[in-house]
Amino acid sequence: MKNRPGTARTNVSARRPFLSAVLLGGFVLAFDVPAAHAESLLSALARAYVGNPDLNQNRASVRAQDEEAPKALAGLRPKASFQAIAGAQTGAAKILAGRSAITGQRQFFTDEFISYPRGATLAVSQTIFDGGHTESAFRQAESSVLAARARLRLTEQAVLQKSAAAYMNVLRDSAIMKLRMNNISVLEQQLRVTADRFDVGAVTETDVAQAQASLAQARSALYAAQAQIKTSVAAYRQIIGDEPRRLEPARSVESLLPRLLNEAVAVALAENPGVAAALYQVDAAEQAAKKAESVLSPTLSVSAQIVNQHDSIMGIPGSRQFAAAVIGQLNVPLYQGGGEYSSIRQAKERLGQERLNADVQRDSVRASVVSSYGMLEAAKASLISGRATEMAAETALIGVRDEARTGKRTTLDVLNAQQSLLNARVAIVVAQRDVVVASYEALSAVGGLTARSLNLDVPIYDPRLHYEQIRTKWFGVDAPAFR
């Protein structure tokens, strides 16, 4: 490219440093930041992984779901109760003394008394057999816990995906705003050149008006860009939890994706947490149906009771009562109004519903993978096309400006060429953002967008630790140390 003198050419050259920053390193979107104080995309994702309220709320929900397992196991654990009584009572006893020798009527005498009854009762019971109700309830609880963990992974993926999009949106909008600010500088120079040429009679007043109109439109576009970046910053703050400061370039995660679409679909059907959650819900529904059927089975239990009371027999002071009993109880349900049969049918219908939902989830995941891969390929193609367009638009602008000096082109031609170059550069910025975001969306659809796969510098949250702490816990109201 020839180096021609001229004010307008100097302004075009001034744009090259920024363009180099935008196009740095393949699929990279960047703007000038001091590297020592910059934040990377991975560090932003780590911040969201630790502090995002939606993700933390879901973790608490999983911990609450964990408690269903020990609740289910309580069905075959012993139950014990202790009851103590103490008090005072007064009364009178009417006692037959005999018959009168004269009248033959019965004679009574009244004995008033006051006593202080007291005592204690200890009762223990143990279910020996409950028709498999407890076992089914426990297996249902475990499947529900696994489903909750899968939904947690789904939330983790959604948070990381949204965080990546918020990060890239700030980068994109910052770059676009700088492009538009630079465009205003170029158009201001173009207006000065056009006004100077008007003063010497080289152009008409129409050319000046066209330059003024283009400058006004550029300023309006800048105001819109400033408003857009405020929106993106607010979304960044909401998702990641802090204000964006000096963001570094970001790259796509295509290296973590299966190369072929068919492979990606197969991996997604096996590993996507949405599918996993649906399959665990099918398991839970199967156990719920078995639990409902268990009410038709006989149950066997044993209970023991020890009673020790004083001054409680008719209020007689000094009386004492002690009793101990061991009782076995067999309960065989015959008919209880038909409600139990309705519950069984309902549980079986819900099982069918969950199976259909699993099919729906598989179809949804398959469509999501195909769509995300298509969006990624489209974004990459747009980036390649945008770069070619930018090179051609820059060459065209230089040529149009040179021809305008000799009168072969009008001011409007120059302004249109300048706008075409700006549009090409904005399209490149948008395409770079789309490539990165689409790669994260594709990785999420496959089921591999996790803090572990991204190698984030954070302690990985493991829900299994809390579950193992409370699974066989018999008593205690304090939450485990690890949460």
Side-chain angles (χ1 to χ4, degrees):
M1 187 177 295
K2 296 181 180 180
N3 186 13
R4 296 184 175 87
T7 305
R9 180 69 186 95
T10 302
N11 280 275
V12 173
S13 300
R15 301 182 65 178
R16 287 189 176 279
F18 177 74
L19 178 61
S20 298
V22 175
L23 299 180
L24 177 64
F27 301 149
V28 181
L29 186 60
F31 53 92
D32 295 333
V33 294
H37 304 286
E39 180 173 47
S40 67
L41 174 55
L42 293 183
S43 66
L45 295 181
R47 191 191 305 273
Y49 180 81
V50 172
N52 183 272
D54 290 338
L55 189 52
N56 286 329
Q57 181 270 341
N58 203 267
R59 288 167 180 161
S61 176
V62 173
R63 292 194 296 270
Q65 184 66 44
D66 289 346
E67 296 292 346
E68 293 297 325
K71 283 172 60 178
L73 289 175
L76 287 179
R77 288 174 179 169
K79 299 174 178 60
S81 63
F82 177 80
Q83 181 181 12
I85 62 170
Q89 67 178 3
T90 183
K94 189 175 181 180
I95 302 174
L96 178 65
R99 292 181 178 273
S100 172
I102 300 174
T103 63
Q105 294 181 345
R106 292 182 299 175
Q107 295 181 334
F108 298 88
F109 71 89
T110 302
D111 183 17
E112 296 183 353
F113 65 87
I114 183 170
S115 64
Y116 302 92
R118 59 197 181 278
T121 302
L122 175 63
V124 179
S125 64
Q126 171 67 58
T127 300
I128 305 300
F129 178 73
D130 62 357
H133 183 277
T134 296
E135 181 181 2
S136 297
F138 176 68
R139 294 186 181 277
Q140 179 188 5
E142 279 199 322
S143 296
S144 297
V145 167
L146 294 174
R149 292 180 190 173
R151 289 192 294 269
L152 175 60
R153 296 199 305 273
L154 202 62
T155 303
E156 176 185 344
Q157 291 201 147
V159 168
L160 293 176
Q161 179 183 335
K162 289 179 181 179
S163 299
Y167 186 100
M168 297 306 299
N169 288 345
V170 173
L171 279 176
R172 176 200 61 193
D173 296 338
S174 298
I176 291 176
M177 186 177 69
K178 289 191 175 184
L179 282 173
R180 297 201 178 279
M181 291 174 63
N182 190 70
N183 184 52
I184 289 175
S185 299
V186 173
L187 291 177
E188 288 175 343
Q189 178 63 23
Q190 180 65 43
L191 177 58
R192 287 192 293 269
V193 171
T194 303
D196 291 342
R197 297 185 67 193
F198 173 73
D199 292 339
V200 299
V203 296
T204 66
E205 187 176 356
T206 301
D207 294 289
V208 177
Q210 289 172 340
Q212 292 172 338
S214 294
L215 180 58
Q217 291 175 354
R219 286 171 176 163
S220 177
L222 175 61
Y223 299 148
Q226 291 172 338
Q228 178 59 44
I229 196 171
K230 289 180 181 179
T231 301
S232 297
V233 167
Y236 183 101
R237 173 66 179 80
Q238 178 184 8
I239 297 172
I240 297 179
D242 199 2
E243 298 294 332
R245 298 184 181 90
R246 299 168 180 172
L247 305 185
E248 281 185 348
R251 298 183 180 276
S252 71
V253 288
E254 288 183 79
S255 60
L256 302 178
L257 292 171
R259 295 179 59 85
L260 301 178
L261 179 59
N262 290 339
E263 294 178 1
V265 171
V267 172
L269 293 178
E271 299 183 5
N272 187 283
V275 174
L279 294 177
Y280 286 130
Q281 284 300 118
V282 172
D283 295 339
E286 288 179 348
Q287 298 303 322
K290 292 181 180 179
K291 185 176 69 173
E293 291 174 344
S294 68
V295 301
L296 301 179
S297 300
T299 59
L300 177 64
S301 62
V302 175
S303 62
Q305 189 178 61
I306 299 176
V307 179
N308 186 15
Q309 295 182 346
H310 298 268
D311 297 351
S312 61
I313 303 176
M314 297 182 63
I316 300 176
S319 63
R320 181 177 180 182
Q321 178 185 11
F322 177 83
V326 177
I327 300 173
Q329 181 177 355
L330 175 66
N331 180 29
V332 181
L334 298 178
Y335 184 73
Q336 292 145 349
E340 65 277 23
Y341 301 108
S342 178
S343 297
I344 294 172
R345 295 192 301 269
Q346 184 183 54
K348 290 181 178 180
E349 290 296 337
R350 287 177 175 169
L351 172 58
Q353 177 186 0
E354 294 298 340
R355 286 172 174 163
L356 292 173
N357 180 61
D359 294 335
V360 171
Q361 290 300 318
R362 291 190 187 97
D363 292 339
S364 176
V365 166
R366 183 181 292 106
S368 179
V369 171
V370 174
S371 175
S372 60
Y373 266 63
M375 292 175 60
L376 178 58
E377 293 301 319
K380 291 162 62 177
S382 296
L383 181 57
I384 295 172
S385 176
R387 286 173 174 166
T389 302
E390 188 272 338
M391 293 178 61
E394 185 176 14
T395 302
L397 175 60
I398 296 172
V400 169
R401 280 178 170 164
D402 289 343
E403 292 173 2
R405 293 191 188 94
T406 62
K408 295 180 180 180
R409 294 282 185 171
T410 64
T411 301
L412 181 59
D413 293 329
V414 176
L415 295 174
N416 289 339
Q418 172 65 30
Q419 185 64 39
S420 295
L421 179 59
L422 174 64
N423 292 342
R425 287 172 172 168
V426 170
I428 289 175
V429 171
V430 172
Q432 288 173 321
R433 175 264 180 198
D434 291 345
V435 168
V436 176
V437 173
S439 69
Y440 275 86
E441 291 178 352
L443 187 59
S444 175
V446 171
L449 183 56
T450 63
R452 193 181 302 276
S453 66
L454 296 176
N455 197 26
L456 299 184
D457 187 18
V458 292
I460 302 300
Y461 181 84
D462 188 353
R464 295 175 299 179
L465 298 179
H466 176 268
Y467 180 74
E468 291 302 324
Q469 286 180 311
I470 59 92
R471 177 180 177 273
T472 57
K473 197 170 185 178
W474 283 54
F475 57 85
V477 297
D478 294 329
F482 177 81
R483 300 185 65 192

